[in-house]
Structure formats: C-alpha cells, structure tokens
Amino acid sequence: MVREAIAASEFYVEDETGDIVDDALYKRNRKVEDRLGVTLNFIELPGEWAESSIFNGAIRQSVMANDGAYDICAVLSNQLASLAIEGILTNLNTLDYLEFDKPWWANGLLDELTIDNKLYFASGDASLGLINGMMCVFYNKRLCEEFNVPNMYEIVSNGEWTIDKAAELTKDVYQDLNNDGIKSTGDRFGFTMGSWNQLYGFIDSFELPVLEKDSDGYPSKFVFDNEKTVNAVEKLVSLFKDNDSFITTAQANDGIYTDEFHDGRVLFTTGEFKDTNKYREVSAFDYGVIPFPKLNTLQENYRTAARATYSSFCIPITAVDPDMSAAVLECFASESYRSVSPTYFETALKVKYSRDDETSQMFDLIKNSVTFNFASSFTSIINDPQSAFKIFVADLKDGWSSNMASWMPVAQQKLDETLEKLKELQ
C-alpha cells in the first residue's frame, strides 16, 4: 500500500508501543495479514498539498509503466479527483469483496462520489484521519463563568448554537491585553479560527449549497452565488472585520490562535478532533467541545465538515490482482471499524481526552453529523470552491456576488468537463 507520508501513525507502527491507538493499529494489521495470508508493505511518499505532484506522479508513472508497483493507494481526499478523471483508477464498484453498504464505509461520501455507478475512491474507518479531521469548536469554561455564559451543552442541545448566538455570548469578551491598540495575538478574544483552513467548515455547518443536482441526479450546476450564501458570507466577514471579539487569520499566520486558546485568552476557537491531543495538558482551565454553529435556528441539524486532508483509498488499474486488493481493503476497513476506531474514538478521544461526560456526548453528536459533498471531494479540479470561500472570508472582502460573477463561469466550465470525463470512464 502506498500512502502519503503525513501522519506517521495513521496506518501502521513498527511494533506495539504501549499507546492504546498505536497498539490497535499494530494488531489490526496483523489480523488482516493472518486472515488473508498476505503481507502488508507500506510505502511512504511525500504527500502534503505542496508535494501532491510527487505523490500523484508516482502513481501515474507506475500506471504508465504498467509495473504493478501499488496494490492500494491512500491519498489525501482533496488530491484524488485529478487521478480519477485521468482514467488510471479502477472503478471500485466492479470489484468483488468491497461491501460499501457496511458501516465501516462513509456511505454519505460514497453516495456523493458515485457517478453512473462508477466509484473511484472511498473512505471510512480505514482512515483514522477522517475522525481526526472532524471540525469542532473548543471553549474555555473558566471564561464562560467569568462572562456569565450559560451552559453550552444545553444551548447546543436546544438547537440554539448559531453564529449569532456566538456573537451574543462574546460581545464583552475582547480586551486589548497588550495595549497596542489593534486586534492581535496577546489580546483576549471571544471567537477565533484555530486554522484558516477551518473557515470552509462553515460551508457545511451553515448548510450552504454549492452545487445543484439536475433531473438525472448529476451535481451539474454551481449555485454558490445564491442569496443564502451571499448573506452568510457577509455575516462572517462583518463579524471578523467589525466585531472586536471575532478574529481570523490568513495562511501566513495559520494556527496562532490554537496557541492563544491553549494559553487561556480565547473563549471559543475552532479546531479538529486531533487538537484534543494538543490541549490535553491544559491545566489552568477546563474546556469543552461542541459542534460548529448553525447559521440560524431555522436550520434543523448541526452539520460537521471533515478536513479534506483525510485519506481516501483507490486501486490503480495496473494493480496485479484488483480483486485481492479489494479484499485486503475491505478487511482493512472492517478491522479498523471493529478495533481501531472504537479504541481511538471511545477510549482515547471520549475518555482519555474528555474532561466530562457531556463532552463525550458532544463528540458523538459531532461525529454523527459529519457531512460530505461532491464539491468538497472534487474541489481541486472544479476551481476550488473551498479555497474561494476561505480566502474571501480570511481577506475580509466585500461583494461575494460580484466575486462569484467572475469565479463561477470558470468553475462551471471545469465542472462540466469533470462530469463529462467521469461519464466517459469505464
């Protein structure tokens, strides 16, 4: 299996270490090998976004050489679309052994990715990064008490956790602690973005439509300039620009407000499940975990985005035995569902990293509300709507409608070309 060299422990460890998650990974791999009589050989290649040409290039080169070097590839989900439309990946729906109706596959994702019963990559419990990257909001319970913030779990449970509620609860929190006269690190804030990449989490949490399906079920039309999205973007930009308690960053300063939260100067900050490890040593205050806010109370459910850096799995068309690759992948996923995911989610995340029982319940709510869409998975080849959104908000721009007027024609053309290529593939 070739995989991106990002998280050293997402798929394997050399030996048991005593860490409960590492040991679960090790045992999972041994079970797969024993059940199927195979040897798992993990090949790591540089796979961050900036190195995608190296990783994807290795897969392309292997297919062109027909050398059968890779049986299964684990690729960052936001990089797989280009490989899919090039025709170098196997249609997973043509293979034996893959049972996509089973709970270890992210069925919502597969529904979005399947075009004409053709599916070229999939994810689920086989990717620990899928759980790690689920977006959430952390909050400082000490600051909640200081500013008389009501019980956040009750607010969430009552369906009242919205972006306007966040503004209401944080209206008196900002303080220029370093006395430099500007909003900056070192100040006390009400709501911060832990990463500028998490800005696109609002697309899902606000239930903003990006694409519209036609009568045949194809996600064929961009609607990213709809009135709801225009109003939502204007609201976010206004909050980050004009409300002292709200602040975000551009890419250059990414991650600085996770440090500010860690140091106790932020009431709410966005994050991902993996950040629980970063905050586990915090002793000066207790923190809680809740979902991203809704746009308003008219929205029925909370919706969670998974950071698009989780791994999805594909099988090159030159795999030596595609059905055996499928059998290994199915076994890998099912064993992950039975052992690795419960160990990480139920034992590590909800017990080891949670500060109270209510936080554990919030982890369940967030995980159960994760959503997927075609636009997110294919973002890199349809003019990147995720980046268009996060850059616009991070740069505190005005005029989403006018921005879309120039952006969408290019995006629509790329979407049309993508769908045509997918329809033509075997």
Side-chain angles (χ1 to χ4, degrees):
M1 178 187 291
V2 61
R3 50 149 301 196
E4 72 283 354
I6 295 177
S9 297
E10 183 178 7
F11 298 122
Y12 79 100
V13 292
E14 294 293 338
D15 208 340
E16 292 178 281
T17 66
D19 178 88
I20 54 175
V21 177
D22 283 352
D23 290 355
L25 290 169
Y26 180 83
K27 291 175 182 177
R28 185 268 317 277
N29 293 346
R30 301 291 80 76
K31 285 183 179 180
V32 172
E33 291 179 328
D34 291 344
R35 281 180 59 184
L36 298 180
V38 298
T39 299
L40 297 178
N41 177 29
F42 294 91
I43 304 168
E44 288 187 307
L45 295 175
E48 291 280 11
W49 178 258
E51 302 160 325
S52 60
S53 61
I54 300 174
F55 190 87
N56 291 348
I59 299 173
R60 291 188 185 99
Q61 184 176 355
S62 173
V63 171
M64 291 177 63
N66 195 25
D67 60 14
Y70 309 126
D71 301 298
I72 302 169
C73 299
V75 189
L76 292 187
S77 60
N78 57 8
Q79 297 181 19
L80 261 168
S82 60
L83 295 178
I85 65 172
E86 291 173 27
I88 64 176
L89 305 181
T90 303
N91 177 5
L92 300 178
N93 282 335
T94 65
L95 302 178
D96 293 331
Y97 307 116
L98 288 169
E99 300 184 61
F100 289 126
D101 59 337
K102 298 298 185 183
W104 41 84
W105 295 108
N107 301 117
L109 174 64
L110 307 191
D111 290 342
E112 286 288 320
L113 297 183
T114 302
I115 300 292
D116 290 341
N117 199 36
K118 290 176 286 192
L119 176 68
Y120 296 99
F121 53 95
S123 194
D125 285 88
S127 171
L128 192 58
L130 179 58
I131 300 178
N132 263 330
M134 290 182 183
M135 296 188 192
C136 58
V137 171
F138 295 89
Y139 71 94
N140 181 320
K141 292 187 176 182
R142 185 189 66 195
L143 287 179
C144 281
E145 292 180 6
E146 185 176 338
F147 289 94
N148 298 312
V149 174
N151 186 298
M152 285 305 305
Y153 295 121
E154 291 183 5
I155 290 174
V156 171
S157 297
N158 292 336
E160 299 170 356
W161 176 231
T162 65
I163 193 66
D164 286 335
K165 175 63 75 171
E168 173 192 328
L169 297 176
T170 59
K171 61 184 176 64
D172 298 321
V173 174
Y174 177 74
Q175 185 177 354
D176 184 10
L177 295 176
N178 57 16
N179 297 310
D180 63 358
I182 59 173
K183 292 199 301 184
S184 61
T185 55
D187 294 346
R188 186 176 64 210
F189 289 100
F191 193 105
T192 68
M193 298 302 299
S195 165
W196 84 306
N197 279 302
Q198 290 153 12
L199 282 166
Y200 67 71
F202 288 112
I203 299 175
D204 288 283
S205 78
F206 286 177
E207 204 169 6
L208 303 179
V210 180
L211 300 176
E212 184 177 85
K213 293 185 177 181
D214 59 25
S215 58
D216 295 320
Y218 297 115
S220 61
K221 181 182 179 182
F222 266 102
V223 292
F224 217 19
D225 59 348
N226 64 87
E227 182 179 1
K228 181 179 182 181
T229 303
V230 170
N231 293 336
V233 171
E234 288 178 353
K235 181 185 289 288
L236 284 175
V237 169
S238 176
L239 283 170
F240 289 123
K241 182 191 295 186
D242 303 323
N243 186 324
D244 284 341
S245 277
F246 277 67
I247 196 166
T248 186
T249 68
Q251 185 176 14
N253 296 314
D254 194 33
I256 60 176
Y257 290 108
T258 59
D259 296 333
E260 297 293 293
F261 181 82
H262 186 282
D263 294 339
R265 290 189 293 273
V266 173
L267 201 163
F268 297 107
T269 193
T270 64
E272 300 160 35
F273 277 177
K274 65 183 179 183
D275 293 326
T276 52
N277 189 50
K278 182 183 303 183
Y279 299 141
R280 63 179 297 197
E281 303 301 333
V282 171
S283 59
F285 60 92
D286 280 335
Y287 67 83
V289 183
I290 52 179
F292 258 53
K294 298 187 292 184
L295 179 59
N296 52 49
T297 55
L298 296 177
Q299 183 177 318
E300 183 177 357
N301 298 313
Y302 296 101
R303 294 165 58 89
T304 295
R307 178 78 177 274
T309 50
Y310 62 86
S311 293
S312 287
F313 302 86
C314 60
I315 297 173
I317 58 174
T318 51
V320 175
D321 186 342
D323 282 320
M324 175 55 79
S325 294
V328 171
L329 182 56
E330 177 72 13
C331 187
F332 195 83
S334 63
E335 288 293 348
S336 297
Y337 171 81
R338 296 184 179 99
S339 59
V340 177
S341 291
T343 299
Y344 175 72
F345 189 73
E346 298 293 337
T347 305
L349 197 62
K350 292 172 60 177
V351 177
K352 185 176 180 181
Y353 297 149
S354 294
R355 299 297 179 96
D356 51 55
D357 290 339
E358 289 175 316
T359 299
S360 295
Q361 295 171 22
M362 287 295 110
F363 279 129
D364 283 328
L365 185 154
I366 295 165
K367 183 173 183 286
N368 292 336
S369 67
V370 68
T371 60
F372 303 97
N373 58 75
F374 182 92
S376 294
S377 294
F378 280 78
T379 189
S380 63
I381 60 172
I382 57 172
N383 217 24
D384 207 350
Q386 287 185 335
S387 288
F389 184 93
K390 72 181 181 184
I391 291 171
F392 191 91
V393 176
D395 288 348
L396 306 180
K397 294 180 179 179
D398 295 318
W400 179 253
S401 292
S402 58
N403 181 65
M404 287 292 98
S406 60
W407 181 88
M408 283 203 353
V410 177
Q412 186 64 53
Q413 180 181 349
K414 291 184 175 182
L415 174 63
D416 293 342
E417 293 171 353
T418 295
L419 289 175
E420 282 304 311
K421 290 178 181 178
L422 288 173
K423 293 174 184 178
E424 292 169 359
L425 293 176
Q426 297 299 314

mmCIF file of all heavy atoms in Angstrom, residues 153 350 354-363:
data_model
loop_
_atom_site.group_PDB
_atom_site.id
_atom_site.type_symbol
_atom_site.label_atom_id
_atom_site.label_comp_id
_atom_site.label_asym_id
_atom_site.label_seq_id
_atom_site.Cartn_x
_atom_site.Cartn_y
_atom_site.Cartn_z
ATOM 1 N N TYR A 153 -23.646 23.135 26.716
ATOM 2 C CA TYR A 153 -24.231 21.878 26.274
ATOM 3 C C TYR A 153 -25.753 22.003 26.148
ATOM 4 O O TYR A 153 -26.359 21.444 25.241
ATOM 5 C CB TYR A 153 -23.856 20.755 27.228
ATOM 6 C CG TYR A 153 -22.387 20.447 27.255
ATOM 7 C CD1 TYR A 153 -21.642 20.528 28.419
ATOM 8 C CD2 TYR A 153 -21.717 20.095 26.075
ATOM 9 C CE1 TYR A 153 -20.278 20.267 28.425
ATOM 10 C CE2 TYR A 153 -20.364 19.829 26.075
ATOM 11 C CZ TYR A 153 -19.648 19.918 27.255
ATOM 12 O OH TYR A 153 -18.302 19.656 27.254
ATOM 13 N N LYS A 350 -12.912 10.046 23.767
ATOM 14 C CA LYS A 350 -14.009 10.317 24.687
ATOM 15 C C LYS A 350 -13.661 10.079 26.146
ATOM 16 O O LYS A 350 -14.342 10.592 27.030
ATOM 17 C CB LYS A 350 -15.231 9.483 24.302
ATOM 18 C CG LYS A 350 -15.851 9.914 22.979
ATOM 19 C CD LYS A 350 -16.932 8.955 22.516
ATOM 20 C CE LYS A 350 -18.057 8.847 23.514
ATOM 21 N NZ LYS A 350 -19.138 7.952 23.014
ATOM 22 N N SER A 354 -11.393 13.636 27.083
ATOM 23 C CA SER A 354 -12.574 14.382 27.511
ATOM 24 C C SER A 354 -12.453 14.783 28.966
ATOM 25 O O SER A 354 -11.914 14.042 29.790
ATOM 26 C CB SER A 354 -13.843 13.544 27.314
ATOM 27 O OG SER A 354 -14.083 13.308 25.951
ATOM 28 N N ARG A 355 -12.984 15.958 29.273
ATOM 29 C CA ARG A 355 -12.937 16.452 30.643
ATOM 30 C C ARG A 355 -14.186 16.074 31.433
ATOM 31 O O ARG A 355 -14.189 16.190 32.652
ATOM 32 C CB ARG A 355 -12.783 17.982 30.632
ATOM 33 C CG ARG A 355 -11.500 18.486 29.948
ATOM 34 C CD ARG A 355 -10.259 18.008 30.667
ATOM 35 N NE ARG A 355 -9.025 18.451 30.037
ATOM 36 C CZ ARG A 355 -8.329 19.535 30.402
ATOM 37 N NH1 ARG A 355 -8.772 20.307 31.380
ATOM 38 N NH2 ARG A 355 -7.213 19.858 29.791
ATOM 39 N N ASP A 356 -15.271 15.661 30.769
ATOM 40 C CA ASP A 356 -16.507 15.300 31.464
ATOM 41 C C ASP A 356 -17.372 14.452 30.535
ATOM 42 O O ASP A 356 -17.100 14.321 29.343
ATOM 43 C CB ASP A 356 -17.272 16.551 31.917
ATOM 44 C CG ASP A 356 -17.461 17.551 30.788
ATOM 45 O OD1 ASP A 356 -18.007 17.157 29.742
ATOM 46 O OD2 ASP A 356 -17.064 18.716 30.949
ATOM 47 N N ASP A 357 -18.445 13.875 31.096
ATOM 48 C CA ASP A 357 -19.325 13.008 30.323
ATOM 49 C C ASP A 357 -20.049 13.774 29.222
ATOM 50 O O ASP A 357 -20.314 13.228 28.141
ATOM 51 C CB ASP A 357 -20.360 12.348 31.237
ATOM 52 C CG ASP A 357 -19.735 11.304 32.162
ATOM 53 O OD1 ASP A 357 -18.635 10.813 31.821
ATOM 54 O OD2 ASP A 357 -20.339 11.005 33.199
ATOM 55 N N GLU A 358 -20.367 15.044 29.485
ATOM 56 C CA GLU A 358 -21.080 15.827 28.484
ATOM 57 C C GLU A 358 -20.223 16.040 27.241
ATOM 58 O O GLU A 358 -20.729 16.058 26.118
ATOM 59 C CB GLU A 358 -21.512 17.166 29.075
ATOM 60 C CG GLU A 358 -22.630 17.040 30.104
ATOM 61 C CD GLU A 358 -22.959 18.358 30.753
ATOM 62 O OE1 GLU A 358 -22.015 19.084 31.122
ATOM 63 O OE2 GLU A 358 -24.147 18.676 30.881
ATOM 64 N N THR A 359 -18.910 16.204 27.429
ATOM 65 C CA THR A 359 -18.021 16.343 26.292
ATOM 66 C C THR A 359 -18.044 15.086 25.444
ATOM 67 O O THR A 359 -18.060 15.155 24.205
ATOM 68 C CB THR A 359 -16.580 16.640 26.762
ATOM 69 O OG1 THR A 359 -16.563 17.865 27.483
ATOM 70 C CG2 THR A 359 -15.631 16.749 25.583
ATOM 71 N N SER A 360 -18.082 13.933 26.086
ATOM 72 C CA SER A 360 -18.164 12.675 25.345
ATOM 73 C C SER A 360 -19.425 12.631 24.489
ATOM 74 O O SER A 360 -19.403 12.164 23.346
ATOM 75 C CB SER A 360 -18.152 11.487 26.314
ATOM 76 O OG SER A 360 -16.925 11.409 27.008
ATOM 77 N N GLN A 361 -20.533 13.124 25.032
ATOM 78 C CA GLN A 361 -21.779 13.148 24.273
ATOM 79 C C GLN A 361 -21.669 14.087 23.078
ATOM 80 O O GLN A 361 -22.218 13.815 22.001
ATOM 81 C CB GLN A 361 -22.929 13.589 25.181
ATOM 82 C CG GLN A 361 -23.227 12.611 26.308
ATOM 83 C CD GLN A 361 -24.214 13.170 27.319
ATOM 84 O OE1 GLN A 361 -24.977 14.086 27.017
ATOM 85 N NE2 GLN A 361 -24.212 12.627 28.522
ATOM 86 N N MET A 362 -20.953 15.205 23.263
ATOM 87 C CA MET A 362 -20.760 16.138 22.153
ATOM 88 C C MET A 362 -19.924 15.510 21.044
ATOM 89 O O MET A 362 -20.167 15.744 19.855
ATOM 90 C CB MET A 362 -20.111 17.423 22.641
ATOM 91 C CG MET A 362 -21.012 18.336 23.442
ATOM 92 S SD MET A 362 -22.397 19.019 22.472
ATOM 93 C CE MET A 362 -23.775 18.139 23.229
ATOM 94 N N PHE A 363 -18.921 14.710 21.414
ATOM 95 C CA PHE A 363 -18.133 14.014 20.393
ATOM 96 C C PHE A 363 -19.047 13.142 19.541
ATOM 97 O O PHE A 363 -18.900 13.071 18.313
ATOM 98 C CB PHE A 363 -17.040 13.159 21.042
ATOM 99 C CG PHE A 363 -15.812 13.926 21.448
ATOM 100 C CD1 PHE A 363 -15.301 13.820 22.726
ATOM 101 C CD2 PHE A 363 -15.150 14.742 20.542
ATOM 102 C CE1 PHE A 363 -14.161 14.517 23.107
ATOM 103 C CE2 PHE A 363 -14.007 15.440 20.900
ATOM 104 C CZ PHE A 363 -13.514 15.332 22.188
#
